[in-house]
Amino acid sequence: MLNFSNTIRKASLLGALSTTLILTACGSNDEEVSQWDEIQEEGTLTVATSGTLFPTSFYSDETEELTGFEVKIAREVAARLDLDIEFTEMGFDGMLTSINNDQVDFAVNDIDISESREEDFLFSDPYKFSYGSMVVREGDYSGIETMEDLEGKRAGGAATTIYTQIAEGYGAEAVTYDNVTNDTYLLDVENGRTDVILNDYYLQTMAVEALPEIAVTVHPELFYRPNNQGIIMKKENTELQENINSVIQEMLEDGTITELSEQFFAGQDVSKEPDIDFAVEE
């Protein structure tokens, strides 16, 4: 059994996320090989992740090893493709840059599949379905009763996340952080440095539950923007995408992803789409 309460203190709310051919010249005869061919030849998938985003990518207190919902999914993907795996830890912006610079093959870090990102990157089929929530102060909910009440509030988050963009879209002032831990985020809401944190419902509920001494709560009525997450990779890597999707579907059908979800999300199955009413659908 993982010690979530201790581990989550060291984790972050924000990390805050096949197969078309990339053709390259190979040797003197100009023989063309794909990115997938290169991966198979090297025998290793290189993966970017934060290592601080509980419960999807973090270090276990017991084993001191990198683990988490998506870390385990990535390891299983590699195993089913008969490949080794190598993780590199970095912030979210660095992940996207590393993908485009061919420094990693893909990234996993609770990264939303969005239309804007799909213009520049490929995603696997989704394996996590979620929605947005708000961490606010206990008692008065930071004075927020509707989405419109975000105007003029100070919203903690990472600079380029979708949740920060949503907050700013409603007139909030963004207070940005770079890969800090949960207690920093939550304490800043409690002490008034910020008023609210917009982020994934599952991540936020687990963070608040693990740090009960901090006087914050998840707003009980304001849920918004149903979304889903998957593996993100370079736009040209369709052959890699096809191979990953093949094993993701196997893992969904044989219950592997449900089992991992229940392990890391306190018995909840995040591979199923939620059935709730949303204040905002997008």
Side-chain angles (χ1 to χ4, degrees):
M1 180 72 66
L2 292 172
N3 187 340
F4 287 159
S5 180
N6 289 335
T7 300
I8 199 169
R9 294 171 182 271
K10 303 176 183 177
S12 171
L13 285 165
L14 305 162
L17 35 116
S18 230
T19 334
T20 292
L21 304 179
I22 296 180
L23 302 180
T24 59
C26 179
S28 58
N29 60 358
D30 292 331
E31 181 179 311
E32 293 178 336
V33 298
S34 71
Q35 182 78 9
W36 175 242
D37 290 335
E38 292 177 355
I39 290 170
Q40 289 185 299
E41 183 176 350
E42 293 173 3
T44 302
L45 281 171
T46 56
V47 181
T49 194
S50 69
T52 60
L53 183 62
F54 181 87
T56 202
S57 172
F58 65 98
Y59 278 87
S60 166
D61 285 341
E62 286 77 16
T63 65
E64 298 184 351
E65 294 180 352
L66 183 67
T67 188
F69 176 61
E70 286 187 283
V71 168
K72 289 276 194 175
I73 287 176
R75 291 190 192 279
E76 184 67 15
V77 166
R80 296 192 186 201
L81 293 174
D82 295 321
L83 297 168
D84 294 330
I85 193 165
E86 179 180 299
F87 289 95
T88 301
E89 294 161 35
M90 61 187 71
F92 176 69
D93 288 343
M95 295 178 199
L96 302 187
T97 300
S98 294
I99 290 169
N100 277 330
N101 290 343
D102 296 321
Q103 294 172 312
V104 298
D105 298 313
F106 63 77
V108 291
N109 212 65
D110 205 60
I111 301 172
D112 283 2
I113 302 171
S114 66
E115 290 184 4
S116 60
R117 286 179 183 153
E118 286 182 312
E119 293 177 1
D120 301 313
F121 297 92
L122 293 179
F123 281 90
S124 71
D125 293 333
Y127 44 72
K128 175 173 176 277
F129 296 86
S130 190
Y131 48 94
S133 65
M134 298 184 195
V135 169
V136 291
R137 284 185 287 278
E138 288 183 348
D140 68 349
Y141 300 152
S142 299
I144 299 171
E145 297 181 2
T146 68
M147 298 295 290
E148 286 69 27
D149 291 333
L150 287 169
E151 184 172 0
K153 303 295 185 183
R154 292 168 61 82
T160 59
T161 67
I162 288 172
Y163 290 105
T164 295
Q165 293 170 11
I166 291 172
E168 290 180 319
Y170 279 94
E173 175 188 351
V175 178
T176 58
Y177 302 77
D178 185 16
N179 216 28
V180 299
T181 54
N182 283 340
D183 56 341
T184 299
Y185 280 109
L186 301 188
L187 283 168
D188 279 355
V189 174
E190 180 189 49
N191 64 31
R193 181 173 184 263
T194 60
D195 300 298
V196 62
I197 306 164
L198 279 70
N199 210 296
D200 176 84
Y201 169 77
Y202 293 108
L203 301 185
Q204 298 213 111
T205 53
M206 296 184 74
V208 169
E209 289 172 3
L211 296 161
E213 69 275 16
I214 302 176
V216 297
T217 188
V218 173
H219 200 296
E221 298 176 357
L222 289 181
F223 303 114
Y224 54 93
R225 194 183 170 273
N227 57 78
N228 49 50
Q229 290 76 38
I231 292 170
I232 187 171
M233 65 206 85
K234 195 171 183 178
K235 187 74 171 179
E236 293 81 4
N237 284 0
T238 57
E239 194 173 3
L240 175 62
Q241 181 195 46
E242 290 167 8
N243 281 280
I244 288 175
N245 281 344
S246 176
V247 295
I248 290 292
Q249 287 305 313
E250 288 178 3
M251 293 164 66
L252 287 167
E253 291 170 6
D254 66 21
T256 299
I257 291 180
T258 294
E259 181 180 344
L260 290 173
S261 173
E262 292 173 347
Q263 177 185 355
F264 289 101
F265 288 94
Q268 301 175 98
D269 187 359
V270 301
S271 71
K272 307 296 184 185
E273 295 191 51
D275 183 17
I276 63 173
D277 293 327
F278 294 100
V280 179
E281 290 287 338
E282 297 182 358

